[in-house]
Amino acid sequence: MSERESEVRPTVAIPRPKRAEAPAPMVVVEDGTIPRRLRRPLDLVRFAVAILATALTVLIAYFASGTSNGIAQDITGATGLLPSILVLLFNVIGGIGTIALPVAVAISLVIRHRLRQLFDSLLGLLIAVVVLTGTAYLIRHYGPDRLILALAGSTLATSAATAPILGGLTTFVTVARLSSRRPWNVLSGIVIVSLFVVLIISGGITIAGLLLSFFVGWALGLLVRYALGTPTTRPSGVQVAEALARGGFALERLEAAQTLTVGRRYRAITLSGAELSVTVLDRDLEGAGLVTAAWSALRLRDEPGRGAFNMRRAVDHAALMAYASASALAPVPRLVLASEIGSDSSLLAYESIAGTRFSDLPAGSLTDVELEGAWRAMRTLHENQIAHRTLTSDHLFLGSDGTVWLLGAPTGSVAASDVSMRIDVAELLCTLALLTDSDTAVRTGRRVLGVSTLARALPVLQPVALSPATRKEMKSRKRKDLMIQLRDSLVEIRPDAAVEQINLRRIRPRTLIMLVVGTVAAYVLLYQLASVDLVDLFTRATWWWIAIGVLASIATYFGAAWSLSGFVPERLSLPRTVLAQLAGDFATLVSPPTLGVIAINVRYLQKAGLHPALAAASVGVSQVAAFVAHILLLIGFGIAAGTQKNFHFDPPQWAVILVIALVLAILAAFAVPRIRRFAFGRLGPILREVVPRLITVAQRPWKLVEGIGGILLLNMAYIIVLWSCVQAFGGELNFAAIAVVYLAGATLGQAAPTPGGLGAVEAALAGGLTIAGLDSGIAISAVLLFRLITFWIPTLPGYISFNWLTKQGAL
């Protein structure tokens, strides 16, 4: 279709098929006009891929220069063995094709009235040549020699880091969209490959430089194409009407009703007076939703996984869902026609139903009968192993005859899993509760599904299971407590139902952050290790000081066990509690320090017979007491470290200024009502759980002594380990200063999101010891030995303890 043909007038009249009588002309109404040019989502996705390929090419060429140069030499040597006639053929095609291809394409575009596309292609070619020429100049004059050698092959002035002609030609082919048209796709591929081979044979640039030029040209072509847009191939309303007529539905009227992310929706009236809802899917919009689909597939375990929009796949899936639902006698609109409009669009025509969506009904107007109708409609799907997956208020439709219909079925799945159907129940519960209240939603669902089926929603009643529309509606109505109310109602009607949530997430955002930060931390740690001779490290160390450190490290597990059991009125087995703390060390290997230990301790107390709320409260009391003791020890040792031999306290001036500034900042922050409410809102629930448990423990003084004593033993033992490591390398630093460094470093390590505080702890401790006056080499050696004793070595016995306690049912 030409650009002049692509624009659609708001109202177009086309004649009806001839009959015995001459009826009035059919009227096609378009809501506005179809744009001449549009930005295709798939171009943006491909641009991201091209940028990634460019970055990988540069990184591999730079960091693996030996390997890449070896491969380049092998390929260059292989091309040198080509027959002379073949080399001549490549030279002719590459040389002539570089000029002939753009000229031939220009003539074709002019004939097809695509002058704007020709202008865009030439503009892209010019931009690519300028960018690649400028890049080569910058690399040649300002780039490191290693990068120049990786891209150009030598530092001679005759060598080039990029190939502007290759990049410009790639950009021209991309903007002109030759890859999707025959025979231009074959011709352009032959010319680019020939030019590639000629440049390799001639030398002066490496394969890495050629690949860089190709990927940069491709990326620039996609960027130009996306920024300036491409001619649309969307069918006009007239073409939609003609496609419906070919399918046996001659129209009286066609109105554009809604613009979708993947096409358009029309309201059609046939000659017989029947009303249809027509959805047009456009290939122009392929790739829409790719980021969301990729993130959902990565994050969720039970995601249907249809991925980004693909026209053909979308039509097939919608037809499958429609026919499967009709076979199940479910109340969904009947699909009457699925047809191709042209090579780039398809339509789906459904019977239109008179009525109103639940979302458009007045608040409080829904009756129990209508709510039960929604439950019955979902039950019909589930009885035939069909899941809907988006049971929102927009997809619940009340017909004029009182029947409840389900819209949006193409988002569902056939042969649905048990989890998918549980999610349907959970979402319909939330949707109906938002429209009415939680008691009404549960009551009507119980009548239709029964108690056992309705209670199956409990494990998936979590925000991540709901569709984005339902989550957004809950947030807009400020109903964050809705799920808690629904869970309480379900537990009330079925106390013995499974309440433990099904893990629907495959990966959490926090996990991705941990992976990134952990990679950086590992790089920092490896950099530290590279600066230390480990053999010399252990040959110079005094072994009996290391033995003292190992014994103190063992003592930390008894301290951790007593710090937990001391705040639990119930009796706990000391050996198992010690093993649980050892298992906690293994857990910190895959999670931030505090989170892994807390999760292990809560699980251990639950398996020991404590109610989940009491287990969490006990661990909370232990953590609060440990935090208070940690701060008091830090202050106490800080005073001791600043006290001179004459017992005169003379702390550094910077420390005094820092403490005063910190206190003033905290006071100023709490003067702001919003910050004060936020802090009290976070601390309030914790205190409400912790204080009653603390009062219970305080009534047994020996338990309190056990808990506080365990906390002190835990901290003192770690300080002794660090002190022993410093002494093992002949370091001279007073005990109080080492204690301050450990306590401050441990605080920073607890806040780090990396597993075990990896990277943050090492940097904090080594920096603290150096600032305190220890030689930097001794500081790094002592810290590495400290982490080896307290973090790395315990992971193996921690893993064994974790598995043994799990098999024994203690975790």
Side-chain angles (χ1 to χ4, degrees):
M1 182 183 4
S2 69
E3 286 185 17
R4 288 180 296 182
E5 294 172 341
S6 64
E7 184 175 359
V8 179
R9 294 188 299 274
T11 304
V12 179
I14 62 174
R16 293 176 179 170
K18 292 184 177 181
R19 293 184 181 181
E21 300 178 359
M26 180 192 70
V27 180
V28 176
V29 178
E30 287 279 347
D31 185 12
T33 60
I34 296 175
R36 289 176 178 269
R37 307 177 71 83
L38 55 86
R39 295 183 174 91
R40 301 171 187 259
L42 202 56
D43 286 345
L44 198 58
V45 174
R46 289 170 177 162
F47 173 73
V49 173
I51 292 295
L52 180 62
T54 302
L56 287 176
T57 300
V58 175
L59 290 174
I60 292 173
Y62 185 80
F63 290 103
S65 56
T67 303
S68 59
N69 288 336
I71 295 174
Q73 292 173 3
D74 292 341
I75 295 177
T76 303
T79 54
L81 300 176
L82 293 175
S84 300
I85 184 64
L86 198 56
V87 172
L88 177 62
L89 183 62
F90 278 126
N91 275 279
V92 170
I93 295 175
I96 297 177
T98 302
I99 299 174
L101 181 66
V103 171
V105 171
I107 294 172
S108 173
L109 291 175
V110 169
I111 294 174
R112 295 168 55 220
H113 305 288
R114 295 293 181 92
L115 297 179
R116 172 65 184 274
Q117 191 171 6
L118 174 60
F119 172 78
D120 293 346
S121 302
L122 294 175
L123 177 64
L125 187 151
L126 178 63
I127 291 174
V129 170
V130 170
V131 168
L132 287 171
T133 303
T135 301
Y137 177 83
L138 293 175
I139 292 175
R140 169 64 59 187
H141 290 84
Y142 302 103
D145 291 340
R146 186 174 180 180
L147 183 60
I148 296 173
L149 288 173
L151 297 177
S154 71
T155 56
L156 298 176
T158 56
S159 60
T162 62
I165 295 177
L166 176 64
L169 189 61
T170 304
T171 302
F172 182 86
V173 169
T174 303
V175 179
R177 301 185 65 86
L178 300 186
S179 60
S180 60
R181 297 180 55 222
R182 294 181 180 179
W184 296 107
N185 54 355
V186 178
L187 294 176
S188 58
I190 292 173
V191 172
I192 290 176
V193 170
S194 299
L195 183 60
F196 202 95
V197 173
V198 169
L199 290 172
I200 292 176
I201 296 173
S202 62
I205 188 171
T206 64
I207 292 178
L210 293 175
L211 289 176
L212 174 64
S213 304
F214 174 79
F215 289 130
V216 168
W218 185 33
L220 290 173
L222 292 167
L223 185 62
V224 169
R225 204 163 76 182
Y226 185 80
L228 301 180
T230 53
T232 183
T233 58
R234 297 181 183 182
S236 66
V238 174
Q239 293 170 306
V240 173
E242 290 173 348
L244 287 168
R246 288 195 300 270
F249 296 93
L251 299 185
E252 179 75 31
R253 187 174 184 81
L254 181 71
E255 297 178 356
Q258 185 181 4
T259 300
L260 308 174
T261 57
V262 295
R264 292 156 289 159
R265 183 169 289 137
Y266 292 89
R267 176 177 173 268
I269 300 176
T270 65
L271 293 177
S272 61
E275 187 173 333
L276 301 177
S277 176
V278 182
T279 300
V280 176
L281 304 177
D282 299 315
R283 196 182 298 276
D284 280 346
L285 298 173
E286 284 190 345
L290 178 62
V291 175
T292 303
W295 173 240
S296 298
L298 177 66
R299 186 171 59 113
L300 302 179
R301 296 178 183 275
D302 195 64
E303 182 64 23
R306 287 188 297 277
F309 169 67
N310 177 278
M311 187 194 74
R312 174 51 55 191
R313 191 165 58 236
V315 171
D316 292 344
H317 185 78
L320 172 66
M321 288 297 302
Y323 296 141
S325 300
S327 177
L329 302 179
V332 298
R334 187 169 69 93
L335 177 67
V336 295
L337 179 64
S339 173
E340 188 178 65
I341 302 175
S343 60
D344 294 319
S345 296
S346 298
L347 67 80
L348 297 162
Y350 297 89
E351 285 185 346
S352 184
I353 303 166
T356 309
R357 298 174 187 267
F358 275 24
S359 57
D360 297 331
L361 292 171
S365 62
L366 285 169
T367 64
D368 282 10
V369 174
E370 293 161 351
L371 298 178
E372 290 171 9
W375 285 112
R376 277 192 292 271
M378 184 203 69
R379 184 184 65 185
T380 303
L381 289 178
H382 287 188
E383 287 173 347
N384 293 273
Q385 302 300 304
I386 302 173
H388 190 283
R389 296 307 301 264
T390 52
L391 288 169
T392 64
S393 55
D394 280 337
H395 289 162
L396 298 175
F397 194 87
L398 180 61
S400 55
D401 59 351
T403 303
V404 176
W405 297 79
L406 299 180
L407 308 180
T411 60
S413 56
V414 296
S417 66
D418 176 69
V419 174
S420 297
M421 291 187 284
R422 286 174 183 253
I423 291 174
D424 270 358
V425 178
E427 179 144 40
L428 190 54
L429 263 175
C430 293
T431 298
L432 298 184
L434 286 169
L435 294 171
T436 55
D437 56 74
S438 58
D439 291 337
T440 302
V442 172
R443 183 179 67 250
T444 54
R446 180 180 182 179
R447 290 175 186 167
V448 177
L449 303 181
V451 174
S452 59
T453 303
L454 188 64
R456 291 172 65 249
L458 260 174
V460 296
L461 203 56
Q462 43 189 302
V464 71
L466 305 180
S467 63
T470 303
R471 290 199 300 268
K472 183 178 180 181
E473 190 171 0
M474 289 175 64
K475 185 176 182 180
S476 64
R477 297 194 184 194
K478 298 181 179 180
R479 295 291 302 276
K480 294 182 179 179
D481 60 336
L482 180 63
M483 284 197 170
I484 298 176
Q485 296 175 6
L486 290 172
R487 290 181 67 86
D488 292 342
S489 299
L490 292 177
V491 171
E492 185 178 346
I493 64 173
R494 186 67 182 271
D496 59 336
V499 296
E500 187 172 352
Q501 292 188 345
I502 296 175
N503 185 14
L504 299 175
R505 289 188 177 95
R506 179 179 286 112
I507 191 170
R508 298 171 181 264
R510 175 188 288 271
T511 307
L512 290 177
I513 295 173
M514 284 173 55
L515 288 174
V516 174
V517 178
T519 302
V520 175
Y523 176 79
V524 172
L525 182 60
L526 290 174
Y527 179 78
Q528 292 175 354
L529 291 174
S531 63
V532 177
D533 187 347
L534 293 178
V535 176
D536 182 61
L537 172 69
F538 290 105
T539 55
R540 288 191 300 107
T542 304
W543 283 97
W544 64 274
W545 277 113
I546 296 178
I548 293 175
V550 171
L551 291 175
S553 178
I554 294 173
T556 61
Y557 297 101
F558 288 92
W562 285 323
S563 69
L564 176 65
S565 61
F567 296 100
V568 179
E570 294 78 7
R571 182 176 178 81
L572 297 176
S573 168
L574 179 61
R576 286 198 172 193
T577 309
V578 171
L579 290 177
Q581 306 315 303
L582 193 58
D585 268 8
F586 168 69
T588 59
L589 190 63
V590 292
S591 65
T594 306
L595 294 180
V597 174
I598 289 176
I600 290 290
N601 284 335
V602 170
R603 184 72 173 174
Y604 170 69
L605 293 181
Q606 290 181 14
K607 290 295 184 178
L610 272 71
H611 188 276
L614 294 179
S618 298
V619 175
V621 171
S622 175
Q623 291 295 317
V624 170
F627 175 76
V628 172
H630 195 96
I631 297 300
L632 293 177
L633 286 172
L634 183 59
I635 294 172
F637 279 113
I639 294 174
T643 302
Q644 305 301 318
K645 291 182 179 180
N646 58 358
F647 296 100
H648 175 67
F649 181 58
D650 186 21
Q653 185 179 4
W654 64 267
V656 176
I657 296 173
L658 180 63
V659 170
I660 293 174
L662 185 61
V663 171
L664 291 177
I666 293 174
L667 292 176
F670 270 85
V672 179
R674 186 172 181 178
I675 296 178
R676 191 167 59 248
R677 286 194 301 268
F678 174 79
F680 289 149
R682 288 299 182 93
L683 293 175
I686 297 175
L687 293 176
R688 283 194 294 270
E689 290 183 2
V690 167
V691 172
R693 195 64 169 170
L694 185 60
I695 293 174
T696 303
V697 174
Q699 295 174 358
R700 304 177 64 178
W702 284 112
K703 275 286 183 180
L704 204 57
V705 171
E706 178 185 346
I708 296 176
I711 293 172
L712 295 176
L713 174 61
L714 177 66
N715 284 282
M716 290 301 298
Y718 272 123
I719 294 170
I720 291 172
V721 175
L722 183 58
W723 178 64
S724 301
C725 292
V726 172
Q727 296 296 322
F729 294 100
E732 293 294 335
L733 198 62
N734 68 73
F735 187 83
I738 292 176
V740 171
V741 170
Y742 163 73
L743 293 168
T747 302
L748 293 174
Q750 299 292 342
T754 56
L758 189 64
V761 173
E762 289 82 1
L765 293 180
L769 291 174
T770 304
I771 292 173
L774 196 63
D775 178 75
S776 60
I778 295 177
I780 292 176
S781 301
V783 169
L784 292 177
L785 181 59
F786 172 79
R787 290 291 277 172
L788 183 66
I789 294 174
T790 60
F791 180 68
W792 293 109
I793 292 178
T795 53
L796 180 57
Y799 174 74
I800 296 171
S801 300
F802 182 86
N803 282 334
W804 186 82
L805 290 173
T806 303
K807 290 178 181 178
Q808 296 297 319
L811 274 184

